[in-house]
Amino acid sequence: MKFNPVIEHLKTYEPGKPIELVVREFGIDPADIIKLASNENPFGCSPKAAEAVRGSADLMFRYPDDTMGDLKSALSRRFGVDSSNLIVGAGSDQVIELACRAKLYGGASILQSEITFAMYQIYAAQCGASVIKAPGIAHDLDAMYALYKEHAPEIVFVCAPNNPTGDALDRVDIENFIDAIDRDTLVVLDGAYQEYAAFKDPAKGVDPAALIAKFPHLLYLGTFSKAYGLGGMRVGYGIADEAIIKGLYKLRPPFNVTTLSLVAAGEALKDEAFVQTTLEACFSQMKEYEMFAEEMGIGFIESYTNFITYRLDGIADSTEVCDALLRRGIIVRDLKGYGINAIRITIGKAEENRRFFEAMRQLLENGRQ
Amino acid sequence: MKFNPVIEHLKTYEPGKPIELVVREFGIDPADIIKLASNENPFGCSPKAAEAVRGSADLMFRYPDDTMGDLKSALSRRFGVDSSNLIVGAGSDQVIELACRAKLYGGASILQSEITFAMYQIYAAQCGASVIKAPGIAHDLDAMYALYKEHAPEIVFVCAPNNPTGDALDRVDIENFIDAIDRDTLVVLDGAYQEYAAFKDPAKGVDPAALIAKFPHLLYLGTFSKAYGLGGMRVGYGIADEAIIKGLYKLRPPFNVTTLSLVAAGEALKDEAFVQTTLEACFSQMKEYEMFAEEMGIGFIESYTNFITYRLDGIADSTEVCDALLRRGIIVRDLKGYGINAIRITIGKAEENRRFFEAMRQLLENGRQ
């Protein structure tokens, strides 16, 4: 069976190891496994969202409301934008995919930072596009601009705060960068962790409504997978000028968000108190991670997200550390595949974090003997 | 903002009107609305599936197990195929989309029957492919073969039983047709309603395991949206030779099925008794639809699915009938857009069907006065 030659060379995305897999591979009791690998909200989701889903379980036979009227109205109010400026996807991932398929054809290219969310280049490659990367661990906007002028890519991806490093650009720098880009180049601003950044430092928080009013070439992405604790339900959204939304809608598969996902996201959006508790707990526990790193002499990147990146150069090999933690039932993310000797740890609940510190201390102390 | 010129001319799929929309448009009490438009299972889903989902609502924060190990094992056992012969999609819709994107590029084409599931041509058009249609209300396999020889399409779609007409091909005819197609042409056999067809007439039922053992160019599609009553959860699957599955996997977005959808589908698959009850009730009520049609002089197509198609030529205009029913809170599907003056009615619960008969009788008798 011959396929489009473009797909022959594609790599597939390696997601964080699910608990099920660790149970199967190592025979560890699921209750003893701590998953700090996928930047999930350790507090789960709003109890009101869970309650609403339980109350709607008997509606699973109904196709979803494909207009997504209720959720789009709620997002409209939340962001102060019109429904026509919104598209809801199966995770913001799907909006990235639609953007790639809408813009990338016939020898196109994208521009991104070297170490950033893996799906940009995966979806771009599916469209046969080439990927231009600005070097550096953080987004280097000057380097990105120079590469933009040199290569004239069809899409520029900016991840703020950045995954998997955790650093965040200032709003003013993001705005100046977007403004410098030609209006027919799509700028995708991935705000998956914006709730965290805006909480920690208002200078890192962006206002999608203000941005799209100024920039007709901007697509802002948000998600329910992180602060709202609904990673398993696959709900994200794009906010942009109506012309962009209309283009993406042409490629949107019908019923792309499930009946229960719409219920969960709608309820989650109403429970801002839950999100606040999440954010406070996250940054309070983040301090523990910073203190532990300093104590152990581990370099880390200041994080504006719900994870922290430990750089292990001169200390240990990141892949060996991940494997050793896995055998102890602790799942974190190895960043070797991104080209850095580092691990990314999701900030968990206090007890989960204590177990991580304990295991990590043992590993490093054994390694030094 | 310039997009891929291919998408400029795309039409978007018009799904069955959701109850929410009728509530908004006509101000009808949701409790009074009867939806017989989207071939949902009127009995909902297995109570065990609903119970399992309620018990898992607190897991929505976890990303889905992207290996889908449990569901794939269950499907493996159900169909007697290896896990490597399976891909699970967000509805079988997504598997259609992946197949189109894998096979259609650079002036490709697909072949289908004139009146069949709308998404084949929608996804093909997204890939810039042209669509060749064999004329006729039922699948005319001779005409399809002649067009296949003439145009050498990259994909041939066979929908058995066919949606939106309800008729079904015999297994032996399907097999002979697939056998006559070149092994580098992908044959997609859409079995979304196979449970119904196999129940009514074993000669219409196909065995995916036997088919893929013989035909390396066959992709069989199944779904949890119909007999299993999980239309809102978006779970379908493809069964094929490993080479096809590997190709589709290269384009599959990670986490394409939600955490709760995996739970629901896994439980639904265990509850065969629920499916049997569904099938018996469906065909018992189908007789009422046939008797009503005969009484009113309405032509209908013998159906092997959970819906029936009434042909209204010489009786009424299908669009007017649908609108009049809608004002009475009854949602059915107008097939005018498919080029026939007909309506498609999902077989509902006895009480829902009675209300349909009552309203339809009033409409037609008023029309004749």
Side-chain angles (χ1 to χ4, degrees):
Chain A
M1 181 63 57
K2 275 189 221 106
F3 290 118
N4 187 336
V6 159
I7 78 174
E8 297 296 334
H9 310 287
L10 295 180
K11 286 178 198 155
T12 42
Y13 174 72
E14 177 87 28
K17 278 188 197 281
I19 289 174
E20 291 83 349
L21 200 70
V22 181
V23 171
R24 282 196 292 272
E25 273 182 18
F26 298 103
I28 300 173
D29 185 333
D32 289 337
I33 294 173
I34 291 177
K35 189 181 176 211
L36 302 173
S38 299
N39 304 339
E40 293 152 334
N41 187 331
F43 300 100
C45 68
S46 158
K48 291 173 189 165
E51 191 49 41
V53 161
R54 279 190 285 269
S56 300
D58 288 329
L59 294 177
M60 292 193 289
F61 74 110
R62 288 280 179 223
Y63 279 87
D65 173 4
D66 202 42
T67 68
M68 306 193 205
D70 292 342
L71 180 57
K72 284 171 82 176
S73 297
L75 285 168
S76 278
R77 285 190 299 273
R78 165 81 176 73
F79 287 106
V81 298
D82 194 79
S83 271
S84 62
N85 299 120
L86 285 167
I87 184 166
V88 180
S92 47
D93 241 65
Q94 189 176 41
V95 186
I96 298 168
E97 187 201 303
L98 298 178
C100 286
R101 289 172 54 205
K103 279 299 278 183
L104 305 176
Y105 59 99
S109 64
I110 68 161
L111 171 63
Q112 63 168 50
S113 188
E114 187 178 356
I115 300 174
T116 191
F117 187 44
M119 295 311 301
Y120 309 147
Q121 65 183 85
I122 289 175
Y123 290 127
Q126 289 182 358
C127 300
S130 56
V131 179
I132 303 151
K133 296 182 181 182
I137 283 179
H139 277 54
D140 178 342
L141 292 180
D142 290 336
M144 285 182 79
Y145 185 72
L147 287 166
Y148 158 73
K149 292 305 273 182
E150 185 182 345
H151 296 281
E154 276 68 22
I155 307 181
V156 180
F157 286 95
V158 176
C159 192
N162 190 37
N163 175 16
T165 53
D167 60 289
L169 294 162
D170 282 351
R171 175 180 50 248
V172 60
D173 295 328
I174 295 170
E175 286 201 27
N176 289 339
F177 179 76
I178 299 170
D179 199 18
I181 303 294
D182 179 80
R183 297 310 185 249
D184 195 52
T185 303
L186 182 68
V187 181
V188 177
L189 177 60
D190 187 344
Y193 297 91
Q194 262 292 316
E195 289 86 356
Y196 297 92
F199 177 87
K200 181 171 179 175
D201 180 356
K204 310 284 188 186
V206 303
D207 174 3
L211 287 176
I212 68 163
K214 266 167 120 169
F215 303 123
H217 60 317
L218 174 73
L219 172 62
Y220 174 85
L221 303 180
T223 184
F224 285 90
S225 298
K226 306 301 173 188
Y228 290 95
L230 291 172
M233 298 308 283
R234 318 306 300 123
V235 194
Y237 49 88
I239 302 178
D241 187 89
E242 193 176 353
I244 294 176
I245 299 297
K246 275 190 177 163
L248 302 185
Y249 249 90
K250 296 253 185 138
L251 295 171
R252 182 191 70 99
F255 310 117
N256 58 324
V257 178
T258 82
T259 298
L260 295 188
S261 303
L262 290 173
V263 168
E267 286 301 312
L269 208 54
K270 292 178 194 162
D271 194 354
E272 277 302 320
F274 172 82
V275 174
Q276 281 303 307
T277 309
T278 288
L279 297 173
E280 284 159 18
C282 170
F283 287 109
S284 151
Q285 286 293 306
M286 182 81 78
K287 288 206 187 79
E288 304 287 325
Y289 275 91
E290 292 171 355
M291 277 159 47
F292 178 79
E294 277 158 11
E295 181 196 337
M296 303 300 289
I298 300 170
F300 65 90
I301 300 171
E302 186 176 1
S303 172
Y304 295 84
T305 66
N306 68 343
F307 59 84
I308 190 165
T309 295
Y310 279 1
R311 305 189 62 178
L312 301 182
D313 281 343
I315 295 194
D317 176 83
S318 64
T319 307
E320 287 174 15
V321 167
C322 286
D323 285 350
L325 288 170
L326 203 56
R327 280 166 219 286
R328 288 165 166 81
I330 298 172
I331 318 175
V332 303
R333 183 68 76 97
D334 183 16
L335 299 187
K336 191 71 70 67
Y338 289 83
I340 44 174
N341 181 36
I343 60 174
R344 188 192 72 185
I345 313 121
T346 304
I347 310 302
K349 287 180 172 171
E351 173 54 28
E352 296 172 320
N353 301 330
R354 267 195 297 274
R355 268 198 53 197
F356 167 81
F357 298 140
E358 201 180 285
M360 190 76 182
R361 184 187 304 274
Q362 276 181 5
L363 280 183
L364 296 184
E365 287 176 354
N366 287 346
R368 279 169 191 161
Q369 277 165 7
Chain B
M1 180 65 59
K2 276 189 220 108
F3 291 118
N4 187 335
V6 159
I7 77 172
E8 297 295 336
H9 309 287
L10 295 180
K11 287 178 198 153
T12 43
Y13 174 73
E14 177 85 26
K17 277 188 196 284
I19 289 174
E20 291 83 349
L21 201 68
V22 180
V23 171
R24 282 196 292 270
E25 274 183 16
F26 298 104
I28 300 173
D29 186 332
D32 289 337
I33 293 173
I34 291 179
K35 188 182 176 209
L36 301 173
S38 299
N39 305 339
E40 293 152 335
N41 187 332
F43 300 101
C45 69
S46 158
K48 291 172 190 164
E51 192 49 41
V53 161
R54 279 189 286 268
S56 300
D58 288 330
L59 293 177
M60 293 193 287
F61 75 109
R62 287 278 180 225
Y63 278 87
D65 172 5
D66 203 42
T67 68
M68 305 194 205
D70 292 341
L71 180 57
K72 284 171 83 176
S73 297
L75 285 167
S76 278
R77 286 191 299 273
R78 166 78 176 74
F79 288 105
V81 298
D82 194 80
S83 271
S84 62
N85 298 120
L86 285 167
I87 183 165
V88 179
S92 47
D93 241 67
Q94 189 176 42
V95 187
I96 298 168
E97 186 201 304
L98 298 178
C100 286
R101 289 171 54 205
K103 280 297 278 186
L104 305 176
Y105 59 99
S109 64
I110 68 161
L111 171 62
Q112 63 168 49
S113 189
E114 187 179 356
I115 300 173
T116 191
F117 187 44
M119 295 310 301
Y120 309 148
Q121 65 183 83
I122 289 176
Y123 289 127
Q126 288 182 358
C127 300
S130 55
V131 179
I132 302 151
K133 295 182 180 181
I137 283 179
H139 277 54
D140 178 342
L141 292 181
D142 291 336
M144 285 181 78
Y145 184 72
L147 287 166
Y148 158 73
K149 293 303 274 184
E150 186 183 343
H151 296 282
E154 277 68 21
I155 308 182
V156 181
F157 285 96
V158 176
C159 191
N162 189 38
N163 174 17
T165 55
D167 60 290
L169 295 162
D170 281 352
R171 174 179 51 248
V172 61
D173 295 328
I174 295 170
E175 286 200 29
N176 289 338
F177 179 77
I178 300 170
D179 199 16
I181 303 295
D182 178 80
R183 297 310 185 249
D184 195 53
T185 303
L186 182 67
V187 181
V188 177
L189 177 60
D190 186 344
Y193 298 90
Q194 262 292 315
E195 290 86 356
Y196 297 92
F199 177 87
K200 181 171 179 176
D201 179 356
K204 311 286 188 186
V206 303
D207 174 3
L211 287 175
I212 69 162
K214 265 166 119 171
F215 303 122
H217 60 318
L218 175 72
L219 172 62
Y220 174 85
L221 303 180
T223 184
F224 285 90
S225 298
K226 307 300 174 187
Y228 290 95
L230 291 172
M233 298 308 283
R234 319 306 299 125
V235 194
Y237 49 89
I239 302 179
D241 187 90
E242 193 176 350
I244 293 176
I245 299 297
K246 274 190 178 162
L248 302 185
Y249 249 91
K250 296 252 185 138
L251 295 171
R252 183 190 69 96
F255 310 117
N256 58 324
V257 178
T258 80
T259 298
L260 295 188
S261 303
L262 291 172
V263 169
E267 286 301 311
L269 207 54
K270 290 179 196 163
D271 194 354
E272 277 302 320
F274 171 82
V275 175
Q276 282 302 307
T277 309
T278 287
L279 297 173
E280 283 159 19
C282 169
F283 288 109
S284 152
Q285 286 293 306
M286 181 80 79
K287 287 208 187 76
E288 304 286 326
Y289 274 90
E290 292 172 353
M291 277 160 44
F292 178 79
E294 278 159 11
E295 182 196 335
M296 303 301 288
I298 300 169
F300 66 88
I301 300 170
E302 187 176 1
S303 172
Y304 295 84
T305 65
N306 67 343
F307 59 84
I308 190 165
T309 296
Y310 279 3
R311 304 189 63 180
L312 301 181
D313 280 343
I315 295 195
D317 176 84
S318 64
T319 307
E320 287 174 14
V321 167
C322 287
D323 285 351
L325 288 170
L326 203 57
R327 278 164 220 286
R328 287 164 168 80
I330 298 172
I331 318 176
V332 303
R333 181 69 75 98
D334 182 14
L335 298 187
K336 192 71 70 67
Y338 288 83
I340 45 173
N341 182 35
I343 59 174
R344 189 192 69 185
I345 313 120
T346 304
I347 310 300
K349 287 180 173 171
E351 173 53 29
E352 296 172 321
N353 301 329
R354 267 195 296 276
R355 266 196 55 195
F356 168 80
F357 297 140
E358 202 179 285
M360 191 75 180
R361 185 187 302 274
Q362 275 181 5
L363 280 182
L364 296 183
E365 287 175 354
N366 286 347
R368 281 171 191 158
Q369 276 166 3

